[in-house]
Amino acid sequence: MDVNSSISLLSNIHSITADFLTERLKSKGFPDFASSHGNILFQLSVNEKMTMGDLSEKINRDKSTTTVLVRKLEAEGFITGESDPADKRSRIIFLTEKGKQFNQTAQELSSELLGTFYKGFTEEEKEAFFQTLLRIKNNF
């Protein structure tokens, strides 16, 4: 095993899992979803409503990219927004019923993905793997 290939291996796993989710989402009636779209909907399920700036920070995208992603989701009826009463220059974004339904489907697919991802792992191996990844993230 070439340990210097770890980043390439992580990249390959990322690609495989993204393809897994994309195919499953298509089969569930969500054909045009990028991972960033799903991340926005997930963040809104956790936080209920968010400003564009907060959302941009949470999904690790610049504000202009976040705006494009939000506009697409809004046009497709997954989210909606309104002016922030405290700051009229800012918008508050929140899920519609369709967005909530998507998150339910995404949660089911996430369970399926994790089941495949950790197939054959013990709980201790899962925890050790997670801690190792966290350590790598913190190195940056």
Side-chain angles (χ1 to χ4, degrees):
M1 172 182 359
D2 180 9
V3 295
N4 291 323
S5 297
S6 297
I7 293 173
S8 176
L9 183 58
L10 282 171
S11 178
N12 184 255
I13 292 168
H14 176 267
S15 205
I16 292 167
T17 58
D19 290 348
F20 176 96
L21 289 174
T22 299
E23 288 304 313
R24 295 300 195 283
L25 284 169
K26 281 181 188 174
S27 74
K28 300 279 187 182
F30 300 102
D32 298 319
F33 259 74
S35 60
S36 295
H37 293 124
N39 195 4
I40 288 171
L41 296 177
F42 171 75
Q43 291 301 327
L44 289 169
S45 74
V46 172
N47 298 292
E48 192 172 329
K49 52 185 162 181
M50 301 176 75
T51 65
M52 291 288 282
D54 290 341
L55 190 54
S56 180
E57 187 178 308
K58 285 285 188 183
I59 67 167
N60 197 30
R61 298 287 184 265
D62 62 46
K63 288 182 183 179
S64 62
T65 300
T66 302
T67 298
V68 170
L69 294 167
V70 163
R71 283 183 182 153
K72 179 176 175 148
L73 289 170
E74 197 165 17
E76 293 184 13
F78 290 97
I79 61 174
T80 191
E82 60 188 33
S83 293
D84 184 345
D87 180 0
K88 297 293 183 200
R89 297 168 298 163
S90 183
R91 285 186 77 217
I92 297 176
I93 307 301
F94 49 94
L95 290 172
T96 62
E97 194 56 41
K98 186 176 180 180
K100 291 174 185 176
Q101 289 171 354
F102 172 86
N103 279 340
Q104 179 62 38
T105 299
Q107 187 174 4
E108 292 165 12
L109 293 178
S110 179
S111 293
E112 184 182 350
L113 176 67
L114 286 169
T116 301
F117 189 90
Y118 283 122
K119 185 177 179 181
F121 280 66
T122 66
E123 290 302 315
E124 293 79 19
E125 289 171 326
K126 290 178 192 178
E127 182 62 29
F129 177 69
F130 178 79
Q131 292 302 323
T132 300
L133 288 177
L134 191 58
R135 187 172 165 196
I136 291 168
K137 178 186 176 264
N138 290 336
N139 286 341
F140 288 95

